[in-house]
């Protein structure tokens, strides 16, 4: 099939490479993962919004995470599931749909970091300035922090995709299981050095800002705990910070594997699988980690089953 067959507005997505024999098992596995991630994240949001004893800044800020996880899974999995049961030669998508999917794929990736950064700030205030926590972490501050996290993600992704859609495209095949910025600008025969440079800077800024904020925040928290020698404070720090740190490490490790494999073209198939896992593993594990580690949420989920 040549480039003119599909036309400028219709693209062919590579999708997930599976054999005909394994297509149904893979479909069922991904479907179960999607249903679990959606159900657990929606359940968390409902519990936090309806339970009065959970309506605190820490939990309201956390709600950004399941919302982002819902976005991350929904933006790729329904289409990926459909493509698994579709012949590879007819996995079509319009250019506009591809741009929209790529936009929200990158919003998910950026928001993961920024949401965890504002959650780290909340933990810092709670541990290091407990007497001023109520004065600092007001509802207005929660809204400002949440808006900042999403606003920054929208801004940098909009610039990145804006640089891509200005390019003409002479190719039609998306060499990826789903659309993202790199697969879009690779459709062009023009000079894409600006896109490559911005992509590297974008990745470097997001990762550096994320790591620095987490290291500085937890460094200050550790210093306060060591100098105070208070068992109650140390217990509170371990209880509240271990959950956040576990969620951050899950996200960071999944993302780091994906980025690392980008450097090795010979592991292209592994990279593509890792990119899908980034949209499945954190959204599936985050509710488990947060739900099981947070006493109020754990009791809300476990009590109905104990009564039975």
């Amino acid at each position: 099939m040549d480039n003119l067959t599909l036309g400028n507005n219709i693209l062919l997505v590579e999708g997930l490479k599976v054999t005909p024999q394994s297509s149904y098992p893979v479909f069922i596995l991904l479907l179960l993962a999607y249903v679990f991630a959606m159900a657990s994240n929606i359940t968390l949001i409902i519990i936090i919004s309806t339970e009065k004893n959970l309506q605190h800044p820490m939990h309201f800020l956390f709600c950004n995470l399941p919302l982002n996880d819902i976005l991350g899974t929904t933006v790729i999995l329904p289409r990926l599931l459909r493509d698994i049961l579709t012949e590879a030669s007819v996995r079509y998508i319009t250019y506009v749909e591809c741009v929209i999917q790529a936009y929200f794929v990158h919003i998910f990736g950026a928001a993961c970091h920024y949401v965890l950064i504002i959650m780290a700030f909340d933990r810092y205030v709670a541990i290091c300035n407990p007497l001023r926590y109520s004065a600092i972490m007001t509802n207005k501050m929660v809204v400002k922090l949440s808006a900042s996290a999403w606003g920054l993600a929208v801004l940098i992704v909009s610039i990145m995709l804006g640089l891509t859609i200005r390019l003409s495209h002479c190719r039609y095949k998306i060499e990826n299981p789903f659309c993202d910025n790199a697969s879009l600008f690779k459709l062009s025969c023009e000079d894409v050095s600006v896109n490559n440079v911005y992509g590297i800077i974008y990745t470097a800024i997001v990762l550096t800002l994320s790591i620095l904020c987490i290291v500085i925040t937890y460094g200050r928290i550790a210093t306060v705990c060591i100098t105070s020698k208070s068992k109650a404070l140390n217990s509170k720090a371990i209880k509240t910070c271990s959950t956040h740190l576990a969620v951050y490490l899950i996200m960071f490790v999944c993302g780091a594997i994906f980025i690392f494999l980008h450097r090795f073209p010979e592991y292209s198939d592994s990279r593509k699988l890792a990119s899908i896992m980034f949209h499945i593993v954190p959204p599936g594990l985050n509710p488990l980690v947060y739900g099981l580690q947070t006493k109020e949420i754990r009791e809300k989920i476990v009590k109905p089953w104990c009564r039975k």
Side-chain angles (χ1 to χ4, degrees):
M1 187 183 294
D2 58 38
N3 292 353
L4 297 176
T5 306
L6 295 177
N8 287 333
N9 294 319
I10 304 295
L11 306 174
L12 184 66
V13 182
E14 182 181 80
L16 186 62
K17 291 180 180 178
V18 292
T19 63
Q21 295 79 11
S22 61
S23 59
Y24 283 102
V26 171
F27 175 87
I28 293 170
L29 186 63
L30 289 180
L31 179 61
L32 290 174
Y34 178 58
V35 171
F36 176 78
M38 290 294 289
S40 54
N41 281 292
I42 291 171
T43 300
L44 267 183
I45 293 172
I46 292 172
I47 290 174
I48 291 171
S49 0
T50 55
E51 286 297 305
K52 288 184 179 180
N53 62 333
L54 290 173
Q55 293 179 2
H56 304 296
M58 178 180 72
H59 300 301
F60 283 140
L61 284 176
F62 170 76
C63 278
N64 287 290
L65 198 60
L67 282 172
N68 191 48
D69 287 341
I70 290 169
L71 170 67
T73 52
T74 302
V75 75
I76 72 158
L77 280 181
R79 185 170 191 96
L80 193 64
L81 287 167
R82 191 191 74 175
D83 287 346
I84 289 172
L85 301 181
T86 305
E87 289 291 333
S89 59
V90 290
R91 293 171 180 170
Y92 300 135
I93 187 172
T94 67
Y95 182 75
V96 172
E97 288 173 336
C98 194
V99 169
I100 292 171
Q101 185 182 51
Y103 184 80
F104 286 107
V105 161
H106 289 286
I107 288 289
F108 166 71
C112 278
H113 290 273
Y114 297 137
V115 167
L116 288 169
I117 287 172
I118 63 174
M119 289 174 65
F121 173 74
D122 172 78
R123 294 300 80 212
Y124 167 76
V125 176
I127 302 299
C128 300
N129 294 285
L131 298 179
R132 297 188 60 213
Y133 182 78
S134 298
I136 296 173
M137 295 305 298
T138 60
N139 290 337
K140 190 175 181 180
M141 177 59 78
V142 169
V143 172
K144 283 182 179 180
L145 288 172
S146 300
S148 298
W150 288 100
L152 191 55
V154 167
L155 176 63
I156 60 174
V157 172
S158 296
I159 294 172
M160 182 172 65
L161 265 296
L163 290 171
T164 297
I165 61 176
R166 69 186 171 87
L167 301 169
S168 60
H169 50 280
C170 60
R171 302 181 183 92
Y172 71 90
K173 189 173 182 181
I174 299 292
E175 303 282 353
N176 209 42
F178 52 87
C179 296
D180 61 5
N181 182 59
S183 58
L184 273 172
F185 71 65
K186 285 176 184 177
L187 298 175
S188 179
C189 294
E190 298 180 37
D191 180 16
V192 295
S193 55
V194 173
N195 300 74
N196 276 315
V197 170
Y198 184 86
I200 293 170
I201 294 173
Y202 154 79
T203 304
I205 289 175
V206 171
L207 289 178
T208 304
L209 182 63
S210 171
I211 294 170
L212 279 176
C213 287
I214 297 299
V215 169
I216 292 171
T217 299
Y218 279 98
R220 294 292 298 274
I221 290 173
T223 302
V224 169
C225 290
I226 292 169
T227 54
S228 71
K229 297 180 181 179
S230 167
K231 290 184 179 180
L233 181 65
N234 292 345
S235 175
K236 180 182 177 183
I238 292 171
K239 177 185 173 183
T240 59
C241 295
S242 59
T243 303
H244 175 266
L245 195 57
V247 168
Y248 180 81
L249 288 174
I250 290 168
M251 180 275 299
F252 186 83
V253 170
C254 290
I257 291 171
F258 168 51
I259 293 169
F260 177 76
L261 290 173
H262 249 301
R263 308 280 78 84
F264 301 94
E266 63 269 27
Y267 297 116
S268 175
D269 289 339
S270 299
R271 173 187 60 79
K272 291 169 184 176
L273 181 60
S275 68
I276 295 172
M277 290 299 101
F278 182 69
H279 289 259
I280 295 175
V281 176
L285 290 182
N286 289 346
L288 284 179
V289 172
Y290 200 86
L292 293 176
Q293 288 292 325
T294 307
K295 181 181 177 182
E296 296 86 352
I297 296 176
R298 184 173 66 246
E299 287 179 350
K300 181 64 179 176
I301 295 172
V302 173
K303 274 185 179 179
W305 293 97
C306 291
R307 287 175 191 152
K308 292 179 182 180

